[in-house]
């Protein structure tokens, strides 16, 4: 059974940093592209960052580029999201997603809340 479990969320002041982690089990992790999405309050879910199966090719959404860094460890079956220079606009539930290349559907974690406020 596929499991994606996010951790590392919490409350932080503007300008602060958080590191999210997603632990995967139940599938061949190294065969899946991994992504982070987020859903701000009252808004639709949006793409944050992705990493290919090799861990060498990352892509970022406009809101994350230059501030966030995605990294994966295929041996540990984890994908992390380092978030720096956080602003209140980064407040959202952050979700981990695993998607097999060429397949439109994927697997989702339960999400972790990130709140940025002073």
């Amino acid at each position: 059974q596929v499991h994606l479990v996010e951790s590392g969320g919490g409350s932080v002041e503007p300008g602060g940093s958080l590191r999210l982690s997603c632990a995967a089990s139940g599938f061949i992790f190294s065969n899946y592209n991994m992504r982070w999405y987020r859903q701000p309050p009252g808004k639709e879910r949006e793409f944050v960052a992705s990493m290919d199966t090799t861990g060498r090719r990352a892509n970022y959404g406009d809101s994350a580029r230059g501030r966030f860094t995605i990294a994966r460890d295929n041996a540990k079956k984890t994908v992390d999201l380092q978030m720096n220079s956080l602003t209140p606009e980064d407040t959202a539930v952050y979700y981990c997603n695993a998607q097999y290349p060429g397949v439109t559907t994927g697997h989702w974690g339960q999400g972790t809340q990130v709140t940025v406020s002073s």
Side-chain angles (χ1 to χ4, degrees):
Q1 188 174 2
V2 173
H3 282 289
L4 295 171
V5 180
E6 300 96 335
S7 62
S11 295
V12 63
E13 294 186 349
S17 298
L18 280 175
R19 188 176 184 88
L20 306 183
S21 186
C22 174
S25 62
F27 62 102
I28 302 175
F29 181 77
S30 59
N31 287 352
Y32 284 69
N33 295 320
M34 298 301 297
R35 297 182 172 92
W36 284 95
Y37 287 80
R38 70 184 186 185
Q39 187 163 16
K43 297 184 179 181
E44 294 185 352
R45 193 172 297 188
E46 63 183 28
F47 170 75
V48 176
S50 66
M51 178 63 79
D52 73 346
T53 58
T54 68
R56 291 195 289 265
R57 184 179 300 173
N59 285 303
Y60 296 93
D62 290 341
S63 62
R65 194 171 294 114
R67 300 186 300 128
F68 295 2
T69 303
I70 187 172
R72 69 185 293 162
D73 187 326
N74 283 346
K76 295 182 179 179
K77 301 181 182 180
T78 59
V79 57
D80 293 348
L81 184 69
Q82 176 66 42
M83 305 187 296
N84 299 327
S85 303
L86 288 164
T87 73
E89 288 68 38
D90 295 314
T91 295
V93 179
Y94 285 72
Y95 295 92
C96 178
N97 170 268
Q99 189 164 11
Y100 194 84
V103 176
T104 56
T105 59
H107 305 290
W108 294 90
Q110 82 289 347
T112 186
Q113 176 70 47
V114 171
T115 302
V116 185
S117 69
S118 54

